[in-house]
Amino acid sequence: MARLNVNPTRMELRRLKDRLKTAERGHKLLKDKSDEMVRQFLVLIKENKRLREEIEGEIAEALKAFALSSGAPLDVVQAISLPTLTASVTVGTKNVMGVDVPYMQTKRVGEVRLPYALCSAPAELDDAVLKLTALADKLLHLAEVEKTCNMLADEIEKNRRRVNALEYVMIPQLQETIKYIMMKLDENERASIVRLMKIKELEQ
C-alpha cells in the first residue's frame, strides 16, 4: 500500500493520527448505516413482491371479467370512458436513512359511480370496473414502494463504495504513513543519541 507523501515530523504524526481516528469512526458509522439500509431494503423488497403478486392476481381477474363482458352488444370502451370516481393524490417525500423517497396519499371524494346504465351492461363489466377502481390505491402504493427500493439500492451502492474506499484505501494509507513516520522519528532519535555519545567520547 502506497503511503502518503508527507514530512516525517511529530506534528504531522499527530495530525495523521487524528485523521486515522476520524476515518475509523466514519467507517464504523457508514458500516452501521449500510447494514440498517440493507435491512430496510429487504423489508421493502418483500412488501414489493407481496403487493405485485396481489395486484397481478386482481388485474387478471378484472381482465377476465372484461373478456366475458366484451361479447355483449354494448360498446365497452364507450361505456367506461367516463371516470367512476373522483380522487386526489397528495405527493411528497419522506426520509428513510437520509434518502428522500416519494410518499403518496390518496383521498377519494364521494362514492363509486358506474358510468353507464346498469340495464345496458352485463354484470361482468360492473365487476371488472369495480375491481379496477379498487386497485388504484394499491397501484400507487406499489409505485411508491418500487421507487423507494430503487432509490435505496442506489444509496446502498454509493455507501458501499465509501465504506470500501475507507477500509481498503484511506485507512491502510494512513496506517502505513504513521508507521513510516514513527520509524523515521525513532531512527532520528537513535542517530541523535549516537551523536551525543560520540561528542561525549571526544570531550573525555
Side-chain angles (χ1 to χ4, degrees):
M1 175 59 66
R3 65 172 184 268
L4 299 171
N5 187 20
V6 293
N7 293 323
T9 61
R10 291 192 182 280
M11 192 177 290
E12 196 64 49
L13 178 65
R14 187 164 62 247
R15 191 178 71 81
L16 287 174
K17 280 183 174 177
D18 289 343
R19 272 184 70 188
L20 178 61
K21 198 179 292 182
T22 304
E24 286 173 341
R25 194 183 304 124
H27 175 264
K28 185 183 182 306
L29 289 171
L30 283 172
K31 196 102 168 70
D32 291 347
K33 181 184 176 182
S34 188
D35 292 345
E36 179 58 24
M37 282 171 76
V38 168
R39 190 190 67 76
Q40 290 200 20
F41 178 72
L42 292 173
V43 170
L44 283 166
I45 285 289
K46 283 178 187 171
E47 173 71 2
N48 183 47
K49 184 173 183 287
R50 183 191 67 75
L51 269 172
R52 183 169 278 280
E53 286 172 355
E54 192 177 309
I55 288 170
E56 282 174 357
E58 289 179 28
I59 286 175
E61 284 179 21
L63 290 175
K64 196 185 294 178
F66 265 124
L68 290 170
S69 67
S70 62
L74 173 77
D75 183 359
V76 174
V77 175
Q78 190 178 350
I80 61 171
S81 59
L82 292 171
T84 58
L85 181 70
T86 304
S88 64
V89 181
T90 306
V91 180
T93 57
K94 60 181 179 181
N95 195 289
V96 178
M97 297 299 295
V99 184
D100 287 332
V101 298
Y103 169 73
M104 289 184 280
Q105 189 172 21
T106 55
K107 185 181 178 184
R108 297 186 173 205
V109 181
E111 295 294 319
V112 178
R113 297 183 311 277
L114 295 173
Y116 48 81
L118 295 178
C119 60
S120 65
E124 289 84 4
L125 184 59
D126 300 351
D127 193 31
V129 169
L130 291 171
K131 278 179 178 172
L132 286 175
T133 304
L135 269 176
D137 292 345
K138 284 185 182 176
L139 282 167
L140 281 172
H141 185 50
L142 176 62
E144 180 188 322
V145 170
E146 280 202 353
K147 186 62 179 173
T148 302
C149 286
N150 291 337
M151 292 176 80
L152 272 180
D154 289 343
E155 192 61 28
I156 287 167
E157 186 57 37
K158 285 180 196 170
N159 209 56
R160 186 169 289 144
R161 281 200 294 269
R162 290 187 197 112
V163 169
N164 288 343
L166 282 169
E167 189 172 342
Y168 298 111
V169 180
M170 192 175 181
I171 290 173
Q173 266 187 349
L174 289 169
Q175 288 172 337
E176 186 69 28
T177 309
I178 287 168
K179 187 178 170 186
Y180 163 75
I181 291 175
M182 287 174 75
M183 282 171 58
K184 276 288 183 185
L185 289 173
D186 287 347
E187 195 178 302
N188 291 344
E189 198 173 328
R190 283 195 298 273
S192 296
I193 291 169
V194 168
R195 271 199 306 275
L196 284 170
M197 288 171 68
K198 288 281 185 186
I199 289 166
K200 278 186 180 179
E201 281 178 14
L202 290 171
E203 285 177 351
Q204 285 175 359

